[in-house]
Amino acid sequence: MNPSGGGTLSLNTGGDTFRRLASMKENNMISYKITKDYPSYTTYFYDMIDHYLYKVKEDEPMKWKISPEKMRIGGYETQKASTDFGGRTWTAWFTPDIPIQDGPYKFHGLPGLIVKIEDGTQTHSMTLIAQNKIPAQDTNQAKPAGFWLYSSEVTASKNEFRKAWKDYISNPSKDISTMGTKMINDGKVITDQQDMKRSIEKRVREREEKYNNKIEPGLYEVVSPSGITE
C-alpha cells in the first residue's frame, strides 16, 4: 500500500497477513493494545482505523463503588466493586492480598489487584490466571500483532478518535484514489475505482456487522458539544 502515490492495494485474504488478522478475529484474540505508565497509571489505547494507528490517552476518571460482598476466586479472598466506564457497567473483584492497584484493560485504582472483572451483559469477562514477571516493554513495541500494517501513527483525543471512526465507517473507501492503481481482492485484480470502493465498503460492512460488541462502545460513539450521542 502506498498512500502517497500509485501502486497496488492488496486485499488478498489468502495471504499470510490477512490469515493472521483473520485468525486473531476468529479466535477472539485481542486486536487493540493498552499501555500504562507507572506509578502515574497514565493509560494509552492503540487501535487502527483504516491504515492509521491511533494512540489515545485515557482521560475518563475511574470511579469505583466498593461493596462489602466478598468471594474467593482462584485462591484469593476478593471484594466486590463496580464502576461505569466506556459505555458499560462493570463488576470487579479485587484482592487486598496483592497490594497493586491495577487490573486488566484500562482498569485500576482499587486497593488491591483486580482478579476478575465482567461487564453487565456478561459478554466481556477477564479473570486472572497466572502472574509472571516479564521484562519492561518498550512503548515503541506497543502495537498488537498485525499492527505493523499501519502507514502512520496518530496521537488523538477521544473525540478526535470518535470522529475519525465515524468518518471511516461512513466512507471507508474515501482514500481509494491515493491507495493504488489496482487492487487484488481474493486473487481477483480490480482496476476500476468504483469496483474497488464497492469491494472495500462491502468488506468493512460485513466485518462491523460480525464484530459489533466492542469492549468500550463509548469510544466509538461521536458525542456532540451538547452532550448528545450521534
Side-chain angles (χ1 to χ4, degrees), residues 65-91:
K65 180 180 179 181
I66 298 177
S67 304
E69 186 177 346
K70 296 183 178 181
M71 180 168 61
R72 196 162 186 82
I73 299 176
Y76 296 104
E77 189 67 31
T78 69
Q79 188 168 349
K80 185 179 180 180
S82 60
T83 187
D84 290 327
F85 179 81
R88 295 182 183 273
T89 297
W90 296 89
T91 298

Side-chain angles (χ1 to χ4, degrees), residues 35-53:
T35 64
K36 295 175 186 173
D37 294 333
Y38 302 101
S40 66
Y41 286 93
T42 302
T43 303
Y44 292 94
F45 171 88
Y46 293 80
D47 199 2
M48 287 191 72
I49 298 178
D50 200 5
H51 50 285
Y52 299 98
L53 177 64

